[in-house]
Amino acid sequence: MTSATPLSSTETVTLQPSYNIPIGLVTIAIGLTFVKWWIGLPVGLFGLFLLIQTVLLKLTFTPTALDIYRGETLIRQFPFAEWQNWEIFWGPIPILFYFREVKSIHFLPIIFDPTMLRICLEQRGTKMTLPESDS
């Protein structure tokens, strides 16, 4: 498995972790705790939960599926043949990755490299949901 920019859709790529969202949430929680501790506490706990998930989980793109690993153990596989569309929400600061399979919908926080995520999704030939225009 490599973590470099993929050259083709036949290469297996493991995304690098991104700690931006968990650290951002913990930082916001610290500030909120000084204002309203009962708001800061759940935000901080959620940030810590995402931090742990960032350390433990790995997303790997194979030529045919998106695999999710906890350590070295494969915990879930999402074959691209079953995908209908995908989208990365909020372009300036990607925070949420959505994809829809034939029978289910999935939302994942962006706790991995969003640039490589987009590159891998585009190379695997899955369809992207485009925002509707106002015209």
Side-chain angles (χ1 to χ4, degrees):
M1 289 184 229
T2 67
S3 60
T5 302
L7 300 174
S8 73
S9 61
T10 60
E11 187 174 352
T12 297
V13 178
T14 298
L15 300 181
Q16 295 296 314
S18 172
Y19 298 94
N20 295 340
I21 292 176
I23 290 173
L25 284 173
V26 170
T27 303
I28 290 169
I30 291 169
L32 285 173
T33 302
F34 291 113
V35 177
K36 301 277 186 187
W37 71 267
W38 51 272
I39 296 174
L41 182 63
V43 172
L45 291 174
F46 183 60
L48 290 174
F49 169 75
L50 287 180
L51 187 62
I52 292 167
Q53 295 301 316
T54 304
V55 171
L56 295 178
L57 297 179
K58 291 189 286 184
L59 265 61
T60 299
F61 283 86
T62 69
T64 58
L66 171 62
D67 296 344
I68 300 179
Y69 288 87
R70 181 174 292 123
E72 299 299 318
T73 305
L74 177 66
I75 58 173
R76 191 78 194 265
Q77 189 172 53
F78 300 100
F80 296 128
E82 296 178 10
W83 287 35
Q84 293 182 328
N85 57 17
W86 60 269
E87 187 170 351
I88 298 174
F89 288 106
W90 210 38
I93 303 171
I95 58 171
L96 193 63
F97 167 46
Y98 154 86
F99 67 98
R100 180 182 181 112
E101 292 183 292
V102 174
K103 296 182 182 178
S104 59
I105 297 172
H106 306 281
F107 291 93
L108 299 171
I110 303 289
I111 55 174
F112 30 78
D113 181 4
T115 304
M116 281 302 292
L117 172 65
R118 181 173 297 279
I119 290 169
C120 290
L121 289 168
E122 290 171 351
Q123 287 185 336
R124 294 325 191 250
T126 57
K127 298 177 278 186
M128 179 178 153
T129 302
L130 298 174
E132 294 183 25
S133 66
D134 294 334
S135 53

